[in-house]
mmCIF file of all heavy atoms in Angstrom:
data_model
loop_
_atom_site.group_PDB
_atom_site.id
_atom_site.type_symbol
_atom_site.label_atom_id
_atom_site.label_comp_id
_atom_site.label_asym_id
_atom_site.label_seq_id
_atom_site.Cartn_x
_atom_site.Cartn_y
_atom_site.Cartn_z
ATOM 1 N N TYR A 1389 82.155 -10.914 152.350
ATOM 2 C CA TYR A 1389 81.142 -10.103 151.690
ATOM 3 C C TYR A 1389 81.757 -9.416 150.483
ATOM 4 O O TYR A 1389 82.867 -8.901 150.544
ATOM 5 C CB TYR A 1389 80.559 -9.066 152.657
ATOM 6 C CG TYR A 1389 79.771 -9.709 153.759
ATOM 7 C CD1 TYR A 1389 80.336 -9.940 155.006
ATOM 8 C CD2 TYR A 1389 78.462 -10.114 153.541
ATOM 9 C CE1 TYR A 1389 79.613 -10.553 156.006
ATOM 10 C CE2 TYR A 1389 77.734 -10.734 154.538
ATOM 11 C CZ TYR A 1389 78.313 -10.946 155.774
ATOM 12 O OH TYR A 1389 77.598 -11.555 156.753
ATOM 13 N N SER A 1392 80.540 -3.948 150.734
ATOM 14 C CA SER A 1392 80.568 -3.364 152.072
ATOM 15 C C SER A 1392 80.038 -1.944 151.972
ATOM 16 O O SER A 1392 80.507 -1.153 151.145
ATOM 17 C CB SER A 1392 82.004 -3.359 152.613
ATOM 18 O OG SER A 1392 82.050 -2.731 153.870
ATOM 19 N N LEU A 1393 79.036 -1.649 152.793
ATOM 20 C CA LEU A 1393 78.432 -0.320 152.788
ATOM 21 C C LEU A 1393 78.747 0.348 154.113
ATOM 22 O O LEU A 1393 78.515 -0.224 155.176
ATOM 23 C CB LEU A 1393 76.925 -0.434 152.572
ATOM 24 C CG LEU A 1393 76.593 -1.089 151.233
ATOM 25 C CD1 LEU A 1393 75.310 -1.864 151.311
ATOM 26 C CD2 LEU A 1393 76.522 -0.050 150.153
ATOM 27 N N ARG A 1394 79.285 1.546 154.018
ATOM 28 C CA ARG A 1394 79.699 2.276 155.211
ATOM 29 C C ARG A 1394 78.796 3.499 155.384
ATOM 30 O O ARG A 1394 78.827 4.413 154.567
ATOM 31 C CB ARG A 1394 81.156 2.685 155.085
ATOM 32 C CG ARG A 1394 82.083 1.500 154.911
ATOM 33 C CD ARG A 1394 83.491 1.936 154.640
ATOM 34 N NE ARG A 1394 84.349 0.790 154.364
ATOM 35 C CZ ARG A 1394 85.504 0.887 153.723
ATOM 36 N NH1 ARG A 1394 85.952 2.062 153.310
ATOM 37 N NH2 ARG A 1394 86.223 -0.195 153.499
ATOM 38 N N PHE A 1395 78.004 3.441 156.458
ATOM 39 C CA PHE A 1395 77.056 4.509 156.759
ATOM 40 C C PHE A 1395 77.489 5.356 157.950
ATOM 41 O O PHE A 1395 76.928 6.413 158.186
ATOM 42 C CB PHE A 1395 75.671 3.923 157.062
ATOM 43 C CG PHE A 1395 75.032 3.260 155.880
ATOM 44 C CD1 PHE A 1395 74.988 1.882 155.784
ATOM 45 C CD2 PHE A 1395 74.484 4.009 154.859
ATOM 46 C CE1 PHE A 1395 74.395 1.261 154.692
ATOM 47 C CE2 PHE A 1395 73.894 3.408 153.766
ATOM 48 C CZ PHE A 1395 73.846 2.026 153.687
ATOM 49 N N LEU A 1396 78.460 4.878 158.727
ATOM 50 C CA LEU A 1396 78.865 5.583 159.947
ATOM 51 C C LEU A 1396 79.865 6.675 159.606
ATOM 52 O O LEU A 1396 81.029 6.647 159.975
ATOM 53 C CB LEU A 1396 79.446 4.578 160.963
ATOM 54 C CG LEU A 1396 78.478 3.479 161.389
ATOM 55 C CD1 LEU A 1396 79.164 2.491 162.322
ATOM 56 C CD2 LEU A 1396 77.246 4.065 162.046
ATOM 57 N N GLY A 1397 79.387 7.651 158.900
ATOM 58 C CA GLY A 1397 80.172 8.758 158.353
ATOM 59 C C GLY A 1397 79.645 9.004 156.960
ATOM 60 O O GLY A 1397 78.542 8.563 156.619
ATOM 61 N N MET A 1483 76.283 -8.721 151.111
ATOM 62 C CA MET A 1483 76.697 -7.394 151.544
ATOM 63 C C MET A 1483 76.656 -7.281 153.062
ATOM 64 O O MET A 1483 75.963 -8.030 153.741
ATOM 65 C CB MET A 1483 75.836 -6.317 150.908
ATOM 66 C CG MET A 1483 74.411 -6.326 151.317
ATOM 67 S SD MET A 1483 73.526 -5.002 150.491
ATOM 68 C CE MET A 1483 71.960 -5.220 151.251
ATOM 69 N N GLU A 1484 77.436 -6.349 153.543
ATOM 70 C CA GLU A 1484 77.488 -6.091 154.969
ATOM 71 C C GLU A 1484 77.607 -4.582 155.170
ATOM 72 O O GLU A 1484 78.247 -3.901 154.380
ATOM 73 C CB GLU A 1484 78.691 -6.803 155.580
ATOM 74 C CG GLU A 1484 78.812 -6.617 157.072
ATOM 75 C CD GLU A 1484 79.928 -7.458 157.647
ATOM 76 O OE1 GLU A 1484 81.084 -7.257 157.247
ATOM 77 O OE2 GLU A 1484 79.624 -8.300 158.498
ATOM 78 N N THR A 1485 76.986 -4.087 156.230
ATOM 79 C CA THR A 1485 77.098 -2.670 156.544
ATOM 80 C C THR A 1485 77.921 -2.493 157.813
ATOM 81 O O THR A 1485 77.966 -3.385 158.671
ATOM 82 C CB THR A 1485 75.720 -2.005 156.751
ATOM 83 O OG1 THR A 1485 75.146 -2.492 157.959
ATOM 84 C CG2 THR A 1485 74.794 -2.251 155.573
ATOM 85 N N ASP A 1486 78.556 -1.329 157.926
ATOM 86 C CA ASP A 1486 79.322 -1.050 159.137
ATOM 87 C C ASP A 1486 78.394 -0.938 160.349
ATOM 88 O O ASP A 1486 78.803 -1.214 161.474
ATOM 89 C CB ASP A 1486 80.199 0.190 158.982
ATOM 90 C CG ASP A 1486 79.448 1.450 158.575
ATOM 91 O OD1 ASP A 1486 78.212 1.401 158.376
ATOM 92 O OD2 ASP A 1486 80.101 2.505 158.435
ATOM 93 N N VAL A 1487 77.143 -0.613 160.125
ATOM 94 C CA VAL A 1487 76.172 -0.550 161.222
ATOM 95 C C VAL A 1487 75.976 -1.949 161.815
ATOM 96 O O VAL A 1487 75.961 -2.118 163.041
ATOM 97 C CB VAL A 1487 74.821 0.046 160.742
ATOM 98 C CG1 VAL A 1487 73.776 -0.020 161.838
ATOM 99 C CG2 VAL A 1487 75.015 1.470 160.245
ATOM 100 N N GLU A 1488 75.849 -2.956 160.936
ATOM 101 C CA GLU A 1488 75.715 -4.334 161.420
ATOM 102 C C GLU A 1488 76.951 -4.767 162.199
ATOM 103 O O GLU A 1488 76.845 -5.405 163.250
ATOM 104 C CB GLU A 1488 75.518 -5.295 160.237
ATOM 105 C CG GLU A 1488 74.218 -5.133 159.508
ATOM 106 C CD GLU A 1488 74.210 -5.904 158.190
ATOM 107 O OE1 GLU A 1488 75.303 -6.211 157.646
ATOM 108 O OE2 GLU A 1488 73.114 -6.197 157.708
ATOM 109 N N VAL A 1489 78.128 -4.446 161.673
ATOM 110 C CA VAL A 1489 79.378 -4.814 162.346
ATOM 111 C C VAL A 1489 79.461 -4.118 163.701
ATOM 112 O O VAL A 1489 79.842 -4.736 164.708
ATOM 113 C CB VAL A 1489 80.604 -4.472 161.473
ATOM 114 C CG1 VAL A 1489 81.905 -4.733 162.218
ATOM 115 C CG2 VAL A 1489 80.561 -5.252 160.164
ATOM 116 N N PHE A 1490 79.083 -2.837 163.754
ATOM 117 C CA PHE A 1490 79.096 -2.089 165.012
ATOM 118 C C PHE A 1490 78.197 -2.769 166.050
ATOM 119 O O PHE A 1490 78.627 -3.044 167.173
ATOM 120 C CB PHE A 1490 78.629 -0.649 164.767
ATOM 121 C CG PHE A 1490 78.563 0.188 166.012
ATOM 122 C CD1 PHE A 1490 79.693 0.815 166.496
ATOM 123 C CD2 PHE A 1490 77.368 0.330 166.698
ATOM 124 C CE1 PHE A 1490 79.641 1.585 167.659
ATOM 125 C CE2 PHE A 1490 77.303 1.087 167.859
ATOM 126 C CZ PHE A 1490 78.439 1.727 168.333
ATOM 127 N N ARG A 1491 76.962 -3.058 165.662
ATOM 128 C CA ARG A 1491 76.017 -3.689 166.595
ATOM 129 C C ARG A 1491 76.508 -5.051 167.065
ATOM 130 O O ARG A 1491 76.404 -5.395 168.245
ATOM 131 C CB ARG A 1491 74.645 -3.832 165.938
ATOM 132 C CG ARG A 1491 73.916 -2.533 165.783
ATOM 133 C CD ARG A 1491 72.584 -2.727 165.104
ATOM 134 N NE ARG A 1491 71.866 -1.472 165.038
ATOM 135 C CZ ARG A 1491 70.907 -1.222 164.183
ATOM 136 N NH1 ARG A 1491 70.518 -2.152 163.328
ATOM 137 N NH2 ARG A 1491 70.305 -0.054 164.176
ATOM 138 N N ARG A 1492 77.023 -5.832 166.135
ATOM 139 C CA ARG A 1492 77.513 -7.164 166.473
ATOM 140 C C ARG A 1492 78.703 -7.090 167.441
ATOM 141 O O ARG A 1492 78.792 -7.862 168.403
ATOM 142 C CB ARG A 1492 77.905 -7.895 165.185
ATOM 143 C CG ARG A 1492 77.900 -9.364 165.251
ATOM 144 C CD ARG A 1492 78.044 -10.062 163.910
ATOM 145 N NE ARG A 1492 79.030 -9.496 163.013
ATOM 146 C CZ ARG A 1492 78.738 -9.003 161.805
ATOM 147 N NH1 ARG A 1492 77.507 -9.009 161.346
ATOM 148 N NH2 ARG A 1492 79.679 -8.513 161.030
ATOM 149 N N THR A 1493 79.608 -6.146 167.209
ATOM 150 C CA THR A 1493 80.790 -6.000 168.053
ATOM 151 C C THR A 1493 80.417 -5.509 169.448
ATOM 152 O O THR A 1493 80.946 -5.998 170.450
ATOM 153 C CB THR A 1493 81.802 -5.042 167.388
ATOM 154 O OG1 THR A 1493 82.092 -5.523 166.065
ATOM 155 C CG2 THR A 1493 83.093 -4.952 168.176
ATOM 156 N N VAL A 1494 79.491 -4.567 169.538
ATOM 157 C CA VAL A 1494 79.028 -4.073 170.842
ATOM 158 C C VAL A 1494 78.330 -5.203 171.605
ATOM 159 O O VAL A 1494 78.551 -5.376 172.809
ATOM 160 C CB VAL A 1494 78.108 -2.846 170.687
ATOM 161 C CG1 VAL A 1494 77.405 -2.496 171.987
ATOM 162 C CG2 VAL A 1494 78.913 -1.650 170.182
ATOM 163 N N ALA A 1495 77.514 -5.993 170.917
ATOM 164 C CA ALA A 1495 76.839 -7.118 171.569
ATOM 165 C C ALA A 1495 77.862 -8.146 172.057
ATOM 166 O O ALA A 1495 77.726 -8.696 173.162
ATOM 167 C CB ALA A 1495 75.848 -7.774 170.610
ATOM 168 N N GLU A 1496 78.879 -8.393 171.268
ATOM 169 C CA GLU A 1496 79.925 -9.325 171.679
ATOM 170 C C GLU A 1496 80.653 -8.798 172.915
ATOM 171 O O GLU A 1496 80.912 -9.545 173.858
ATOM 172 C CB GLU A 1496 80.925 -9.542 170.538
ATOM 173 C CG GLU A 1496 82.023 -10.528 170.863
ATOM 174 C CD GLU A 1496 83.022 -10.701 169.722
ATOM 175 O OE1 GLU A 1496 82.771 -10.233 168.601
ATOM 176 O OE2 GLU A 1496 84.077 -11.318 169.987
ATOM 177 N N ALA A 1497 80.954 -7.504 172.931
ATOM 178 C CA ALA A 1497 81.641 -6.897 174.073
ATOM 179 C C ALA A 1497 80.807 -7.015 175.345
ATOM 180 O O ALA A 1497 81.350 -7.222 176.431
ATOM 181 C CB ALA A 1497 81.955 -5.429 173.781
ATOM 182 N N ALA A 1498 79.495 -6.905 175.201
ATOM 183 C CA ALA A 1498 78.614 -6.992 176.373
ATOM 184 C C ALA A 1498 78.680 -8.372 177.031
ATOM 185 O O ALA A 1498 78.442 -8.499 178.233
ATOM 186 C CB ALA A 1498 77.171 -6.669 175.976
ATOM 187 N N GLY A 1499 79.027 -9.382 176.271
ATOM 188 C CA GLY A 1499 79.093 -10.732 176.815
ATOM 189 C C GLY A 1499 80.475 -11.163 177.279
ATOM 190 O O GLY A 1499 80.675 -12.308 177.658
ATOM 191 N N ARG A 1506 86.949 -6.525 176.562
ATOM 192 C CA ARG A 1506 85.748 -5.718 176.335
ATOM 193 C C ARG A 1506 86.136 -4.340 175.805
ATOM 194 O O ARG A 1506 85.553 -3.843 174.849
ATOM 195 C CB ARG A 1506 84.935 -5.580 177.620
ATOM 196 C CG ARG A 1506 83.605 -4.842 177.386
ATOM 197 C CD ARG A 1506 82.750 -4.691 178.636
ATOM 198 N NE ARG A 1506 82.671 -5.898 179.440
ATOM 199 C CZ ARG A 1506 83.150 -5.998 180.689
ATOM 200 N NH1 ARG A 1506 83.738 -4.978 181.261
ATOM 201 N NH2 ARG A 1506 83.032 -7.124 181.348
ATOM 202 N N ARG A 1507 87.153 -3.726 176.424
ATOM 203 C CA ARG A 1507 87.618 -2.409 175.986
ATOM 204 C C ARG A 1507 88.100 -2.464 174.534
ATOM 205 O O ARG A 1507 87.798 -1.594 173.722
ATOM 206 C CB ARG A 1507 88.738 -1.891 176.897
ATOM 207 C CG ARG A 1507 89.178 -0.462 176.527
ATOM 208 C CD ARG A 1507 90.611 -0.160 176.929
ATOM 209 N NE ARG A 1507 91.605 -1.024 176.327
ATOM 210 C CZ ARG A 1507 92.027 -0.950 175.058
ATOM 211 N NH1 ARG A 1507 91.503 -0.079 174.234
ATOM 212 N NH2 ARG A 1507 92.955 -1.762 174.607
ATOM 213 N N SER A 1508 88.833 -3.537 174.202
ATOM 214 C CA SER A 1508 89.351 -3.693 172.848
ATOM 215 C C SER A 1508 88.205 -3.816 171.833
ATOM 216 O O SER A 1508 88.234 -3.190 170.764
ATOM 217 C CB SER A 1508 90.257 -4.921 172.784
ATOM 218 O OG SER A 1508 90.714 -5.120 171.468
ATOM 219 N N LEU A 1509 87.195 -4.611 172.161
ATOM 220 C CA LEU A 1509 86.051 -4.765 171.259
ATOM 221 C C LEU A 1509 85.295 -3.449 171.088
ATOM 222 O O LEU A 1509 84.918 -3.078 169.967
ATOM 223 C CB LEU A 1509 85.109 -5.851 171.782
ATOM 224 C CG LEU A 1509 85.595 -7.287 171.594
ATOM 225 C CD1 LEU A 1509 84.768 -8.246 172.437
ATOM 226 C CD2 LEU A 1509 85.546 -7.677 170.119
ATOM 227 N N LEU A 1510 85.070 -2.749 172.179
ATOM 228 C CA LEU A 1510 84.355 -1.464 172.088
ATOM 229 C C LEU A 1510 85.174 -0.440 171.310
ATOM 230 O O LEU A 1510 84.623 0.366 170.556
ATOM 231 C CB LEU A 1510 84.004 -0.954 173.483
ATOM 232 C CG LEU A 1510 82.950 -1.776 174.212
ATOM 233 C CD1 LEU A 1510 82.789 -1.292 175.653
ATOM 234 C CD2 LEU A 1510 81.622 -1.758 173.475
ATOM 235 N N SER A 1511 86.482 -0.483 171.468
ATOM 236 C CA SER A 1511 87.354 0.402 170.684
ATOM 237 C C SER A 1511 87.237 0.077 169.196
ATOM 238 O O SER A 1511 87.166 0.985 168.361
ATOM 239 C CB SER A 1511 88.801 0.255 171.167
ATOM 240 O OG SER A 1511 89.651 1.070 170.417
ATOM 241 N N ASP A 1512 87.207 -1.221 168.880
ATOM 242 C CA ASP A 1512 87.027 -1.629 167.477
ATOM 243 C C ASP A 1512 85.706 -1.109 166.921
ATOM 244 O O ASP A 1512 85.634 -0.642 165.788
ATOM 245 C CB ASP A 1512 87.057 -3.153 167.345
ATOM 246 C CG ASP A 1512 88.435 -3.756 167.588
ATOM 247 O OD1 ASP A 1512 89.433 -2.998 167.623
ATOM 248 O OD2 ASP A 1512 88.494 -4.989 167.750
ATOM 249 N N ALA A 1513 84.648 -1.187 167.735
ATOM 250 C CA ALA A 1513 83.341 -0.697 167.304
ATOM 251 C C ALA A 1513 83.387 0.809 167.057
ATOM 252 O O ALA A 1513 82.873 1.290 166.032
ATOM 253 C CB ALA A 1513 82.276 -1.044 168.340
ATOM 254 N N LEU A 1514 84.001 1.546 167.956
ATOM 255 C CA LEU A 1514 84.088 3.007 167.779
ATOM 256 C C LEU A 1514 84.935 3.391 166.573
ATOM 257 O O LEU A 1514 84.671 4.414 165.921
ATOM 258 C CB LEU A 1514 84.643 3.660 169.052
ATOM 259 C CG LEU A 1514 83.687 3.699 170.227
ATOM 260 C CD1 LEU A 1514 84.403 4.249 171.468
ATOM 261 C CD2 LEU A 1514 82.468 4.538 169.904
ATOM 262 N N ASP A 1515 85.934 2.579 166.265
ATOM 263 C CA ASP A 1515 86.790 2.862 165.102
ATOM 264 C C ASP A 1515 86.023 2.798 163.780
ATOM 265 O O ASP A 1515 86.503 3.320 162.765
ATOM 266 C CB ASP A 1515 87.972 1.904 165.060
ATOM 267 C CG ASP A 1515 89.025 2.208 166.107
ATOM 268 O OD1 ASP A 1515 88.987 3.323 166.683
ATOM 269 O OD2 ASP A 1515 89.869 1.337 166.362
ATOM 270 N N LEU A 1516 84.863 2.164 163.771
ATOM 271 C CA LEU A 1516 84.060 2.106 162.557
ATOM 272 C C LEU A 1516 83.477 3.466 162.184
ATOM 273 O O LEU A 1516 83.132 3.708 161.030
ATOM 274 C CB LEU A 1516 82.931 1.077 162.704
ATOM 275 C CG LEU A 1516 83.394 -0.373 162.819
ATOM 276 C CD1 LEU A 1516 82.216 -1.250 163.242
ATOM 277 C CD2 LEU A 1516 83.981 -0.858 161.504
ATOM 278 N N TRP A 1517 83.338 4.341 163.164
ATOM 279 C CA TRP A 1517 82.795 5.684 162.915
ATOM 280 C C TRP A 1517 83.874 6.520 162.254
ATOM 281 O O TRP A 1517 84.991 6.621 162.730
ATOM 282 C CB TRP A 1517 82.333 6.339 164.212
ATOM 283 C CG TRP A 1517 81.116 5.676 164.768
ATOM 284 C CD1 TRP A 1517 81.070 4.521 165.482
ATOM 285 C CD2 TRP A 1517 79.770 6.114 164.613
ATOM 286 N NE1 TRP A 1517 79.768 4.213 165.803
ATOM 287 C CE2 TRP A 1517 78.951 5.178 165.277
ATOM 288 C CE3 TRP A 1517 79.184 7.204 163.970
ATOM 289 C CZ2 TRP A 1517 77.568 5.302 165.323
ATOM 290 C CZ3 TRP A 1517 77.811 7.327 164.032
ATOM 291 C CH2 TRP A 1517 77.030 6.379 164.689
ATOM 292 N N ARG A 1518 83.533 7.106 161.111
ATOM 293 C CA ARG A 1518 84.506 7.909 160.381
ATOM 294 C C ARG A 1518 84.102 9.367 160.432
ATOM 295 O O ARG A 1518 83.006 9.748 160.338
ATOM 296 C CB ARG A 1518 84.565 7.469 158.916
ATOM 297 C CG ARG A 1518 85.043 6.061 158.746
ATOM 298 C CD ARG A 1518 84.841 5.551 157.340
ATOM 299 N NE ARG A 1518 83.433 5.194 157.091
ATOM 300 C CZ ARG A 1518 82.589 5.946 156.374
ATOM 301 N NH1 ARG A 1518 82.985 7.022 155.769
ATOM 302 N NH2 ARG A 1518 81.333 5.584 156.228
#
Side-chain angles (χ1 to χ4, degrees):
Y1389 293 98
S1392 177
L1393 299 149
R1394 301 174 185 159
F1395 294 104
L1396 300 177
M1483 65 180 184
E1484 181 174 61
T1485 70
D1486 56 359
V1487 174
E1488 293 168 338
V1489 175
F1490 178 84
R1491 288 179 177 158
R1492 204 169 43 241
T1493 305
V1494 169
E1496 182 181 349
R1506 185 179 316 116
R1507 184 206 60 76
S1508 177
L1509 285 166
L1510 291 173
S1511 179
D1512 290 347
L1514 287 175
D1515 286 345
L1516 294 169
W1517 290 80
R1518 296 169 283 104

